[in-house]
Amino acid sequence: MRMVDLIEKKRDGQALTKEEIEFIIQEYTADKIPDYQMSAFLMAVFYEDMTDEEIVALTLAMANSGEKIDLSSIHGIKVDKHSTGGVGDTTTLVLAPLVASVGVPVAKMSGRGLGYTGGTLDKLESIPGFKIELSDHAFIEEVNKNKVAVIGQSGDLAPADKKLYALRDVTATVDSIPLIASSIMSKKIAAGADAIVLDVTTGEGAFMKNLKDARRLSHMMVRIGELAKRKTMAVISDMSQPLGQAIGNSLEVIEAIETLQGRGPADLLEMCYVLGSQMVVLGQKAETLEEARDLLEKAISSGAAFETFQRMIKNQDGDETICQHPEQLLTAQFEIELPAKTSGVVTKLVANEIGIAAMLLGAGRQTKEAAIDHSVGLKLHKKVGEKVEKGEPLLTIYSNSQQNEQVEELLYENIHIGPSADKPTLIHEIIT
Ligand code: URA
Ligand code: CA
């Protein structure tokens, strides 16, 4: 087989065979296909798309390109959750211990953030001492004991995806639904869970800017999962405004603690109940979604979910005193309230731009190597659909710099106040 012939075949709109796709992924991972040929191929996929059969072959070839995690020694049905990214998306920090507290084992591998989308690992690392690296053995033991552990993704998980993603990033081929679907699902399949719940975010703060694309991506990923013999379902959720109130690493840990104590923002808690109910049913700890939700609500009100979180922090060497005294994590030098310039109703909080404001404060990375400032970020006091009086604080900026004009300007540009607005729909659709 020659790569140039395969590029030509895709360029001319024909479907590749499974063997041809496996050849491309194996040879590219082994550095035997140069980036310039792979770039041309990716652009051909971008324009000519792929059939379902091609996408499944691509996903499995990528999943098989490196280490595959064997979770079979964890008791019970392992359910993984993945979000396609958002702003202030604190879900995993709440959901993992919540679902674990009703008996569903959660062996979660998370990633770091890049750009305005935060990563769960960065958030957890704002807890002093918290260890995100565990040996496979310790990871599995931890999940068997406490039902939950959240660690960093192993370096050799789907290496083909790592290489391809870096190339897509610089060749304008990230925004391709078959390439996104195969990228996400290859890592989920290699990570070894029996069932997968996907949170496909849509809106300004997400990869999928509209519902039509979110639907296509969801259907495609669910189909890939089923063909790879993993029970898979997708929830299409709103990311037109940030989720919850906190955006920034330690601020989101505090938000997670409050939510696990039943005092968190309503949208974040609802998101956790919706995703969590699906996970509990897939994990066969409840027969219906209603029954599952009931279990989760009880785990919050009884304190069981919060206790599971505390044990997770302790077992992964984190400073558990932050659970009783989360204010210890508020270490930014300056807290600045941003007052509303007019009275009215918040009509828009443009999620990606608000995410960029948090990134400029230091909460996110502008390049892969950049360091993160865990202490900085934003806390929203008003969300879309809420009334505000002129002079009332819209949000609080947590900063380690006295110069925040650029951030303030960006925030004012992206918080719209008008005569009226409805609260956005949080959950658009559920796809099974
Ligand atoms: N997230 C991924 O892991 N891969 C993509 O291609 C897009 C989002
Ligand atoms: Ca949040």
Side-chain angles (χ1 to χ4, degrees):
M1 257 182 258
R2 293 195 317 157
M3 184 61 178
V4 64
D5 301 326
L6 303 180
I7 297 169
E8 186 179 315
K9 195 171 171 186
K10 184 47 52 192
R11 183 202 69 191
D12 293 344
Q14 295 176 49
L16 302 185
T17 66
K18 178 167 168 277
E19 289 70 31
E20 287 167 339
I21 288 172
E22 284 170 355
F23 168 83
I24 294 175
I25 293 302
Q26 282 163 12
E27 297 290 294
Y28 182 62
T29 310
D31 294 329
K32 289 185 199 153
I33 290 173
D35 281 346
Y36 55 81
Q37 282 191 312
M38 200 63 193
S39 306
F41 178 75
L42 291 170
M43 194 55 86
V45 171
F46 183 91
Y47 280 110
E48 292 300 326
D49 213 334
M50 284 183 139
T51 64
D52 283 0
E53 289 69 31
E54 284 181 286
I55 297 166
V56 171
L58 176 62
T59 306
L60 295 180
M62 291 190 344
N64 290 330
S65 67
E67 182 190 0
K68 288 169 84 181
I69 315 285
D70 179 6
L71 300 179
S72 57
S73 48
I74 295 174
H75 319 302
I77 301 170
K78 279 74 69 184
V79 188
D80 200 355
K81 169 257 172 188
H82 181 83
S83 163
T84 58
V87 176
D89 187 349
T90 317
T91 310
T92 296
L93 294 180
V94 178
L95 194 58
L98 172 59
V99 169
S101 73
V102 305
V104 179
V106 180
K108 181 109 190 78
M109 292 197 177
S110 278
R112 295 193 180 281
L114 182 62
Y116 59 77
T117 54
T120 298
L121 287 189
D122 299 313
K123 296 171 195 176
L124 285 169
E125 280 185 336
S126 58
I127 302 169
F130 192 90
K131 217 167 64 195
I132 53 125
E133 274 173 49
L134 295 181
S135 67
D136 287 2
H137 178 74
F139 179 51
I140 286 169
E141 199 162 288
E142 201 45 61
V143 180
N144 273 333
K145 222 169 48 197
N146 190 36
K147 293 286 177 207
V148 58
V150 182
I151 62 167
Q153 183 178 303
S154 148
D156 195 40
L157 199 80
D161 174 64
K162 194 176 285 173
K163 226 182 139 191
L164 273 172
Y165 195 86
L167 188 62
R168 286 166 58 207
D169 206 22
V170 293
T171 55
T173 50
V174 169
D175 285 320
S176 151
I177 291 179
L179 295 178
I180 295 173
S182 53
S183 164
I184 293 173
M185 291 304 288
S186 66
K187 286 173 284 196
K188 292 292 110 182
I189 290 166
D194 305 308
I196 302 160
V197 173
L198 299 162
D199 173 15
V200 178
T201 48
T202 176
E204 274 90 347
F207 265 103
M208 298 294 114
K209 305 292 180 209
N210 61 63
L211 197 53
K212 181 168 157 274
D213 287 346
R215 243 183 229 134
R216 176 155 188 250
L217 179 65
S218 302
H219 281 290
M220 200 175 267
M221 292 197 291
V222 168
R223 198 170 138 73
I224 295 170
E226 298 294 338
L227 289 167
K229 305 208 164 42
R230 315 294 167 103
K231 281 208 163 47
T232 306
M233 53 86 49
V235 173
I236 302 182
S237 69
D238 178 66
M239 193 47 79
S240 59
Q241 64 173 342
L243 186 65
Q245 294 180 292
I247 304 151
N249 299 284
S250 56
L251 293 169
E252 289 188 54
V253 171
I254 296 170
E255 178 169 73
I257 290 171
E258 289 169 354
T259 305
L260 285 161
Q261 292 174 328
R263 310 183 280 120
D267 60 345
L268 174 60
L269 184 60
E270 180 60 22
M271 196 65 218
C272 292
Y273 282 147
V274 170
L275 293 170
S277 304
Q278 300 285 350
M279 292 173 76
V280 171
V281 170
L282 286 174
Q284 294 180 10
K285 294 292 171 191
E287 291 198 358
T288 64
L289 291 172
E290 294 70 36
E291 200 186 309
R293 184 170 177 129
D294 198 47
L295 287 174
L296 296 174
E297 288 179 358
K298 288 202 175 101
I300 295 275
S301 59
S302 71
F306 184 47
E307 281 164 28
T308 303
F309 176 83
Q310 285 174 272
R311 277 198 301 274
M312 177 180 94
I313 303 299
K314 180 163 181 251
N315 295 349
Q316 292 189 238
D317 292 344
D319 175 4
E320 55 183 319
T321 67
I322 61 114
C323 296
Q324 306 312 327
H325 297 285
E327 71 283 356
Q328 287 173 34
L329 294 172
L330 287 178
T331 56
Q333 258 181 296
F334 304 101
E335 294 183 15
I336 306 137
E337 288 187 343
L338 193 75
K341 289 179 178 172
T342 54
S343 297
V345 172
V346 178
T347 57
K348 222 167 174 346
L349 287 165
V350 185
N352 51 340
E353 299 293 341
I354 292 174
I356 290 169
M359 182 180 79
L360 293 174
L361 290 167
R365 292 185 181 81
Q366 309 201 38
T367 63
K368 280 197 180 72
E369 292 73 30
I372 266 187
D373 183 344
H374 290 99
S375 67
V376 300
L378 303 168
K379 183 159 181 188
L380 307 175
H381 302 308
K382 301 287 173 183
K383 304 248 339 217
V384 172
E386 291 181 10
K387 271 199 189 144
V388 60
E389 297 294 328
K390 182 178 174 181
E392 222 188 327
L394 290 165
L395 53 83
T396 302
I397 299 170
Y398 294 80
S399 175
N400 281 320
S401 162
Q402 236 161 343
Q403 309 291 321
N404 300 294
E405 291 77 14
Q406 194 195 352
V407 170
E408 290 177 13
E409 203 175 304
L410 185 60
L411 288 167
Y412 273 127
E413 274 167 24
N414 291 288
I415 302 176
H416 303 187
I417 297 173
S420 71
D422 293 331
K423 278 195 175 29
T425 306
L426 184 63
I427 307 294
H428 293 293
E429 269 171 42
I430 292 179
I431 289 163
T432 53

